Amino acid sequence: METGSLIAALFILLSAVLSSCVCTIDGLQIDPLVYEEQLLWVSGASGHVNTYRIPLITFTPKGSLLAFAEGRKSSSADVGAKFIAVRRSTDKGDTWSPTSFIINDGMNPDGLNLGSVVVDEEVGSVILIYSMCFHLYHCGPASTMMVESTDDGLSWSSPRNLSVQLGVQAFAPGPGFGIQKRHEPGKGRLVVCGHGTIEGDGVFCILSDDHGENWYYGAMMKSIPYNQKKKPQDFNPDECQPVEMPDGSILINVRNQNNYHCRCRIVMRSLDGGLTLPIDELFFDEMLVDPAVAAGMLQKNGVLYFTNPSNEQNRVNLTLRWSLTNGSSWENNAVQIWAGQSGYSSITSLDTGSVEDQKFIFIIYEKGHKDYDETISFVKVHLYGGL
């Protein structure tokens, strides 16, 4: 064998060995380290926006990062006129484009609310689902809206009102990401879960089996008492984040709005691709203490990751936890991302199978010193950084 061919063969063999070593890293070796952090949005810094809230993050099928937020125009309130702001990174978060406002609801008294982003890997599109007039405050009826990008987040379609298909039930997606099922049952299906109005609250999932062309309601878990005013400790599941598990089930981590049973997270599971949520598959995760907030969750290489302000009373102490048992238990050595004021969070990762991409997850969250809505910050976490 010629020298050049021998070197090439050895290189291929070495690459395969190294790849195999990383792919088979034991979950017990996970030791997350905050690799780098940067602010993406600062409330009050722009004349057009009073407050940035509700951060979402995802990778596109082409490997770009997209970060989204509500730009609340005149106050920090959930009602009121807003933009949907987006920034884009093509180098895994090292640098970001300037902010673009892709949706502007004018001066609507009860404007848009984010929202879930869902990536359709089969057709290469990114879909954003959001609500309009959700609180029915001086406007109506409520509408579920959709925009789509087919060019890696560079441009977006005109908004499409899904209420023709879904009706005018008030539905607030996420906030977080929706999923495309990779396994049966329902392989290829788009699943976006969210919650209803304060009285008619509960977890509801909308589904599409044709890449977002048509949507219909699937699984639901209604609040008790339903469509009635709630009291403390009533069962009132709210904002939620679904992930697909390796066995094809959908695990949904849910905000426990009225602290029913505990000041912790509600967990639900769908076994049929998002069509139903059996009561037997619901439990309360008392290890995940929570002040009633939207949290982040991600399933990556058989490990479940979770972020929230880990505190029973206040939105402080944003913490990253991970589970090696599909969420039935959590490792004790959690990582504090930020000790101070912290609110909503969302997690993503790039799933190319490459050695480098297996090392990192990416977190976006609300961060402040006096109030949690002062900034929205982006964090790159090296999963084996402490080794």
Side-chain angles (χ1 to χ4, degrees):
M1 181 181 291
E2 295 182 5
T3 302
S5 301
L6 179 60
I7 292 174
L10 288 172
F11 178 77
I12 292 171
L13 179 60
L14 180 61
S15 297
V17 169
L18 289 175
S19 239
S20 169
C21 290
V22 173
C23 290
T24 57
I25 284 180
D26 192 292
L28 296 174
Q29 291 181 285
I30 293 173
D31 191 7
L33 177 71
V34 175
Y35 192 71
E36 58 186 51
E37 180 165 1
Q38 55 184 299
L39 299 182
L40 294 187
W41 287 288
V42 178
S43 295
S46 165
H48 299 291
V49 174
N50 176 281
T51 305
Y52 285 101
R53 283 215 57 205
I54 323 298
L56 315 181
I57 193 165
T58 191
F59 270 101
T60 70
K62 293 183 179 179
S64 298
L65 268 174
L66 297 178
F68 302 89
E70 284 182 12
R72 300 182 173 185
K73 296 179 183 179
S74 57
S75 77
S76 62
D78 290 344
V79 298
K82 306 177 189 74
F83 300 102
I84 292 181
V86 64
R87 297 186 69 178
R88 180 172 176 268
S89 173
T90 57
D91 53 14
K92 301 178 184 178
D94 289 341
T95 61
W96 292 84
S97 69
T99 296
S100 297
F101 295 134
I102 61 173
I103 303 292
N104 180 356
D105 63 17
M107 293 308 295
N108 196 310
D110 187 14
L112 64 89
N113 289 103
L114 276 179
S116 283
V117 58
V118 57
V119 173
D120 189 326
E121 296 179 350
E122 294 183 1
V123 299
S125 68
V126 180
I127 293 171
L128 193 64
I129 307 287
Y130 62 99
S131 63
M132 284 291 296
C133 197
F134 173 76
H135 305 93
L136 302 175
Y137 178 74
H138 297 306
C139 65
S143 297
T144 303
M145 309 294 293
M146 167 182 159
V147 290
E148 183 175 14
S149 175
T150 57
D151 59 2
D152 204 48
L154 290 170
S155 64
W156 296 84
S157 67
S158 297
R160 183 157 68 94
N161 194 328
L162 303 180
S163 301
V164 176
Q165 300 169 1
L166 297 173
V168 294
Q169 173 181 334
F171 171 71
F177 59 80
I179 61 172
Q180 182 173 47
K181 293 283 276 94
R182 295 185 175 186
H183 311 289
E184 296 292 352
K187 184 178 180 181
R189 175 177 295 157
L190 304 182
V191 181
V192 173
C193 300
H195 69 101
T197 59
I198 298 302
E199 290 79 16
D201 216 343
V203 169
F204 303 89
C205 298
I206 61 172
L207 316 175
S208 176
D209 295 317
D210 55 8
H211 308 290
E213 187 64 30
N214 295 282
W215 294 85
Y216 60 97
Y217 271 100
M220 62 180 65
M221 180 68 68
K222 293 183 177 180
S223 60
I224 303 172
Y226 185 63
N227 262 341
Q228 298 176 46
K229 188 175 180 180
K230 299 295 189 295
K231 297 179 180 179
Q233 284 81 56
D234 280 345
F235 179 66
N236 198 14
D238 196 82
E239 295 167 321
C240 57
Q241 176 59 68
V243 297
E244 185 175 18
M245 304 303 288
D247 64 358
S249 65
I250 301 173
L251 196 70
I252 308 177
N253 195 285
V254 185
R255 172 175 174 164
N256 189 359
Q257 176 65 24
N258 284 46
N259 301 310
Y260 178 82
H261 182 77
C262 63
R263 291 183 178 272
C264 67
R265 305 293 294 184
I266 304 172
V267 181
M268 306 175 187
R269 187 189 299 268
S270 175
L271 306 176
D272 54 11
L275 296 174
T276 63
L277 286 170
I279 194 69
D280 328 24
E281 298 293 331
L282 182 150
F283 69 96
F284 297 87
D285 196 332
E286 298 192 28
M287 289 191 67
L288 301 181
V289 298
D290 188 74
V293 70
M297 190 166 66
L298 179 75
Q299 196 283 128
K300 181 178 175 68
N301 295 333
V303 179
L304 196 62
Y305 298 93
F306 176 82
T307 53
N308 80 326
S310 184
N311 186 285
E312 289 190 356
Q313 302 287 343
N314 302 304
R315 293 183 178 182
V316 296
N317 186 34
L318 192 88
T319 301
L320 170 66
R321 300 185 184 277
W322 59 100
S323 170
L324 309 178
T325 59
N326 295 325
S328 62
S329 64
W330 298 87
E331 297 300 294
N332 291 325
N333 49 336
V335 171
Q336 186 181 74
I337 302 294
W338 175 245
Q341 295 283 321
S342 43
Y344 288 22
S345 58
S346 183
I347 318 173
T348 194
S349 70
L350 193 56
D351 187 18
T352 62
S354 76
V355 171
E356 190 66 15
D357 289 335
Q358 290 188 50
K359 298 177 183 176
F360 295 98
I361 60 173
F362 304 84
I363 300 168
I364 190 171
Y365 72 103
E366 297 172 336
K367 175 182 183 178
H369 291 274
K370 294 182 178 180
D371 297 299
Y372 62 83
D373 58 6
E374 292 170 7
T375 69
I376 290 178
S377 189
F378 166 78
V379 177
K380 187 175 183 178
V381 175
H382 194 307
L383 295 176
Y384 311 104
L387 290 178

